[in-house]
Amino acid sequence: MKGLNTEMCLERDLKENIGALLQIPPERLENERNLADFGFDSISLANLAARLTKHFEIEISPAMFFGHSSITKVKEYLLEKHGEEIREFYFEPEMASTVHEAPESPVARRMTAEKSIPQSGVPEPVAVIGMSGRFPDARNIEEMWSILAEGRNAVREIPSDRFDWHAYYSESGKAPGKTDSKWCGRLPGAGEFDPLFFEISPREAETMDPRRPVAASGSLECSRAGRVWNKKAQGRQNRHVRRGGARRLPASDQG
C-alpha cells in the first residue's frame, strides 16, 4: 500500500483483524501487550487463527500464539516463517508511464482460479488422525472412557494443594466469604506444564489464563497421537508388501 512498507501493512491488518474479532478499536491495541490482556482465550485464539489463515491465505495454527503472545511477536513470526507469502500478499505493481494493464499477482491468480471452480455443495471429507483430551480424573481419552464404562464419579472434595476448603465452607453458605460447596472435578497434571518447551517464559506462564497451558499440552498430545497412528498404519501397510523395493519396518516399529 502506498506510503506503507510490508511490516507496517502487516501490523495494521493484524490490529484490524484482532479489533474486529474482539470489538476493540485497532488504535487501542498495544503492540507489546500480551494477547490475553485484550481478552483472548483458547477459543477466541482459535477463531483468530482461522481468521488470519483466511485473510493471508497461509496456514496459521492456534498453537502459534502460545509462543508468540503479542502483536509484535506474531508479526515477527509471520515475517520470518511466511515472509515470501506476506510480501506477495501486499505486492502492488508500479504504475508505468503509459497505460498498460497491471500484471496480475500470483495471489490474485490463485483467488481467481478458486472462484472459477464450481462449488458442488458437498463438504470435503475430514480425516481424524489424532485426538487428545484431559478431564476430571482422566489424563487422556482412554482414561475418560474407562471412567464412563465403570460408572465412576470423578467429582471429589477440593484437594489441599488447590486451597483449604475448610476455611471457606459453611453448610448454609450464607455467611460472608463462605460457600456451601467443597467439591470439584479436578484436571490431573495441572502443575506439570513446561513453559520453556513452548517458548513461554516462566513469569508469563504464572499470569496466563490457566486454560492456555491445558490447550497447548493437548495440542502437543494430539500431534503425537497423529504420528503414532501414522506409524502404525505404515507398519500395517508394510506387512502387506510382498515384493518390490519397499523396505520392511523392524518388528518393534510395526503396530
Side-chain angles (χ1 to χ4, degrees):
M1 297 183 178
K2 199 168 184 179
L4 299 177
N5 59 27
T6 299
E7 185 174 344
M8 296 168 66
C9 291
L10 176 58
E11 180 180 312
R12 188 208 60 179
D13 277 4
L14 286 174
K15 288 186 175 182
E16 286 187 354
N17 278 277
I18 292 173
L21 189 62
L22 299 180
Q23 300 297 307
I24 299 176
E27 59 271 14
R28 290 180 53 191
L29 299 172
E30 300 176 20
N31 291 352
E32 304 301 329
R33 288 191 64 181
N34 193 297
L35 295 176
D37 295 339
F38 300 139
F40 275 108
D41 54 23
S42 56
I43 296 176
S44 53
L45 284 176
N47 293 336
L48 177 60
R51 189 184 186 100
L52 295 180
T53 295
K54 182 178 180 180
H55 181 79
F56 292 113
E57 296 185 314
I58 56 179
E59 188 65 32
I60 299 176
S61 168
M64 181 270 294
F65 297 113
F66 296 121
H68 306 82
S69 53
S70 68
I71 292 176
T72 295
K73 291 180 180 179
V74 171
K75 178 179 64 177
E76 292 173 349
Y77 169 85
L78 293 177
L79 290 173
E80 178 182 353
K81 299 295 184 180
H82 302 282
E84 183 176 350
E85 294 91 338
I86 294 296
R87 285 186 288 272
E88 186 179 73
F89 180 83
Y90 291 112
F91 171 73
E92 288 188 0
E94 294 292 335
M95 297 299 294
S97 56
T98 57
V99 178
H100 294 288
E101 184 176 352
E104 191 175 30
S105 71
V107 174
R109 285 197 298 272
R110 185 165 66 251
M111 293 178 66
T112 302
E114 289 175 354
K115 290 180 181 178
S116 65
I117 300 175
Q119 300 297 321
S120 63
V122 179
E124 293 185 2
V126 176
V128 179
I129 61 173
M131 293 189 296
S132 71
R134 189 168 298 189
F135 312 89
D137 267 12
R139 288 180 172 271
N140 51 52
I141 295 175
E142 289 76 13
E143 293 182 6
M144 179 199 71
W145 284 118
S146 297
I147 292 175
L148 294 176
E150 297 169 11
R152 286 189 280 125
N153 189 349
V155 176
R156 307 177 185 277
E157 284 190 357
I158 299 172
S160 58
D161 62 347
R162 294 297 174 90
F163 63 88
D164 182 12
W165 61 265
H166 298 87
Y168 303 95
Y169 179 78
S170 73
E171 292 187 1
S172 66
K174 296 180 180 179
K178 298 291 184 178
T179 177
D180 58 355
S181 176
K182 58 180 180 179
W183 311 97
C184 76
R186 181 191 184 191
L187 297 184
E192 299 172 1
F193 180 66
D194 182 4
L196 296 179
F197 179 84
F198 294 95
E199 299 182 355
I200 300 174
S201 70
R203 179 179 297 180
E204 182 181 352
E206 291 178 357
T207 59
M208 68 168 51
D209 186 325
R211 291 172 293 184
R212 292 179 61 191
V214 175
S217 300
S219 298
L220 178 62
E221 292 166 4
C222 187
S223 175
R224 287 173 173 169
R227 285 197 292 271
V228 169
W229 178 91
N230 187 58
K231 188 176 181 182
K232 290 182 177 179
Q234 185 66 41
R236 288 194 297 269
Q237 181 182 13
N238 284 338
R239 284 199 296 271
H240 287 85
V241 176
R242 300 185 181 275
R243 61 184 177 180
R247 178 180 62 85
R248 285 181 176 272
L249 291 178
S252 60
D253 288 341
Q254 296 183 15

